[in-house]
Amino acid sequence: MIPQCNPKANYKKYREEIDKAISTVLSSGSYVLGEQVTSFEDEFSSFLGISETIGVANGTDAIELALRACKIGNSDLVATVSHTAVATVSAIRRVGAKPIFVDIEEDFYTMSPKDLAAVINEYDIKAIIVVHIYGQMADMQGILDLAKQKDIPVIEDCAQAHGATQESKMAGTWGDIGCFSFYPTKNLGAIGDAGAVVTNNMEIANRLREIRQYGWKERYISIREGINSRLDEIQAAVLRVKLKYLSMDNNRRKEIAAIYNKNLENLNHIIVPKLRTGNKHVYHQYVILSEHRDTIRRELEEDGIFCGIHYPKPVHLQSIYHKSSYNILDLNVTEQFSGQILSLPMYPELNLEEAKEVTARIKNIKF
Ligand SMILES: *Cc1c(COP(=O)(O)O)cnc(C)c1O
């Protein structure tokens, strides 16, 4: 059996260190926002090359806090993509703002700067949320150039892009704020829910620290409305262990992707992922496009090889978000791709023989 993702294998690989880290927390008597969280925040900041990391409860909260820190609220318009996890949009709605969906680039699945320009020129957009989907960054230069013209803050949803770079600069450090999820299946995964917000702006960082804990400036004194979105010590301790191996694990994902590329790129009914010039892809997912997607998925499943679809229904077509006010543009690429995308098994512990087996099986499918 080959699963699509395998957080248990990742735990087992680092088990000794993780168990020890957890045990240290258990005996410390400090369980929420303590030393482990502060150390993790410092280490994650160094990893990214950014000045501030604020640990929070999950990735959705990270985006909500980022929006609040940019003072986005009631009925404000936020431009984002529909080709994303529903979480991106649910965070926008939680602050009372309204998403305006922009289509994606055909080659890279990320926000199309051309379509963003059309939206920015026509509407009073208060923030842009860019999603670095599958582990490859969007065209940040193109998007930032547009945002700067109108002074619109840019928030990066990096939930699938821990360690991805463009021109050697990490995802999360390009815009005003970067948001991370450490859900167990992400490239950097906790053993429960966890997230972080990162920024180089001290004022925003302070605001984020206040909002994550009841708006407290100091204990029991609230100077703004906040929520409880604290990171706990056990998750932080586990993340500190796994962060040390993130680059190594990302390199393993790249090796697996190289095998998939080599064995699948010449099949005429399959399109393999394209690499944007100057980008480092961290392959949170390895996603192929095929008109025969459902057949491929079914045949692989019969052999015990499991794939995923990220995501089967674009956000704007989900009944709860299917509001005409959100859908001003045609989202042709988003809609077309949702019926053709297939995420092959991808996790650092997948061995190279297994990766070859996946491709051999695909090659044998008769259409
Ligand atoms: C996982 C994910 C999120 C949400 O993170 P949670 O920790 O599950 O709240 C947001 N955006 C994207 C693109 C994701 O993949």
Side-chain angles (χ1 to χ4, degrees):
M1 206 272 283
I2 301 179
Q4 205 268 323
C5 60
N6 197 347
K8 183 175 167 178
N10 199 251
Y11 162 64
K12 281 163 98 176
K13 194 164 64 180
Y14 308 124
R15 178 178 230 155
E16 228 172 282
E17 267 187 89
I18 291 175
D19 287 359
K20 203 165 139 227
I22 292 173
S23 159
T24 305
V25 172
L26 291 178
S27 355
S28 76
S30 169
Y31 303 122
V32 176
L33 288 191
E35 268 174 37
Q36 294 293 334
V37 170
T38 310
S39 299
F40 171 68
E41 289 176 340
D42 290 346
E43 289 157 12
F44 198 56
S45 293
S46 324
F47 172 79
L48 293 178
I50 202 159
S51 65
E52 302 295 319
T53 295
I54 296 95
V56 298
N58 58 67
T60 313
D61 279 6
I63 301 167
E64 178 185 342
L65 264 72
L67 288 165
R68 283 173 181 261
C70 294
K71 309 209 160 120
I72 306 301
N74 247 347
S75 304
D76 286 341
L77 300 180
V78 177
T80 192
V81 287
S82 175
H83 185 72
T84 183
V86 151
T88 314
V89 179
S90 117
I92 296 172
R93 292 299 301 141
R94 266 197 12 214
V95 302
K98 273 171 55 173
I100 297 257
F101 295 117
V102 177
D103 212 354
I104 52 173
E105 293 180 287
E106 241 173 81
D107 281 348
F108 307 111
Y109 306 101
T110 48
M111 181 181 272
S112 153
K114 191 167 117 271
D115 290 17
L116 178 66
V119 165
I120 286 182
N121 289 332
E122 208 163 327
Y123 299 92
D124 184 17
I125 301 293
K126 298 288 195 211
I128 298 165
I129 303 184
V130 182
V131 183
H132 305 311
I133 199 140
Y134 305 148
Q136 174 158 238
M137 290 181 63
D139 175 1
M140 285 312 286
Q141 207 51 66
I143 290 164
L144 287 176
D145 284 349
L146 291 165
K148 279 201 188 105
Q149 285 167 24
K150 306 228 165 171
D151 216 11
I152 304 171
V154 174
I155 296 168
E156 299 177 66
D157 180 341
C158 308
Q160 306 191 1
H162 316 70
T165 63
Q166 193 157 99
E167 310 302 342
S168 305
K169 197 168 138 102
M170 290 267 182
T173 68
W174 282 75
D176 297 271
I177 308 184
C179 301
F180 289 85
S181 163
F182 307 119
Y183 184 74
T185 59
K186 309 287 186 186
N187 290 44
L188 178 60
I191 46 154
D193 278 311
V197 193
V198 305
T199 183
N200 275 315
N201 181 322
M202 241 356 247
E203 192 187 324
I204 286 178
N206 289 336
R207 228 177 282 153
L208 287 164
R209 288 207 174 84
E210 290 155 12
I211 300 168
R212 99 173 141 181
Q213 185 161 229
Y214 321 127
W216 282 359
K217 178 84 192 162
E218 55 189 280
R219 189 166 272 265
Y220 307 131
I221 307 297
S222 297
I223 60 157
R224 62 180 79 251
E225 290 194 290
I227 60 174
N228 170 4
S229 183
R230 293 177 297 226
L231 178 59
D232 73 68
E233 289 283 284
I234 289 188
Q235 301 309 334
V238 172
L239 289 168
R240 290 184 68 198
V241 173
K242 290 204 188 177
L243 179 58
K244 293 192 291 181
Y245 305 109
L246 175 57
S247 298
M248 199 178 86
D249 278 354
N250 279 345
N251 284 337
R252 282 283 311 174
R253 288 175 184 266
K254 205 166 134 188
E255 281 175 34
I256 295 160
I259 289 177
Y260 285 163
N261 281 338
K262 179 166 157 266
N263 294 333
L264 299 176
E265 67 193 352
N266 293 323
L267 302 185
N268 55 23
H269 52 85
I270 283 176
I271 296 173
V272 300
K274 295 182 183 70
L275 204 58
R276 194 192 294 281
T277 312
N279 263 30
K280 183 172 133 199
H281 197 318
V282 293
Y283 296 99
H284 174 61
Q285 301 294 355
Y286 182 96
V287 176
I288 58 171
L289 268 184
S290 175
E291 282 171 25
H292 306 290
R293 188 267 308 276
D294 295 327
T295 310
I296 299 172
R297 187 182 199 196
R298 191 171 356 97
E299 296 265 336
L300 288 176
E301 210 162 291
E302 275 172 21
D303 288 350
I305 298 169
F306 293 88
C307 298
I309 298 174
H310 302 94
Y311 296 91
K313 201 167 199 176
V315 182
H316 75 285
L317 296 181
Q318 311 243 359
S319 59
I320 192 72
Y321 295 115
H322 192 66
K323 301 210 168 89
S324 53
S325 61
Y326 300 171
N327 306 318
I328 292 143
L329 298 183
D330 286 334
L331 302 174
N332 295 328
V333 183
T334 299
E335 289 178 14
Q336 188 201 325
F337 281 6
S338 66
Q340 301 185 0
I341 45 180
L342 187 67
S343 311
L344 300 186
M346 177 54 86
Y347 49 92
E349 299 75 23
L350 183 74
N351 70 49
L352 304 184
E353 286 312 309
E354 289 172 316
K356 283 179 199 154
E357 196 184 317
V358 173
T359 57
R361 185 67 195 95
I362 293 174
K363 281 183 177 170
N364 275 336
I365 299 172
K366 303 273 175 290
F367 297 102

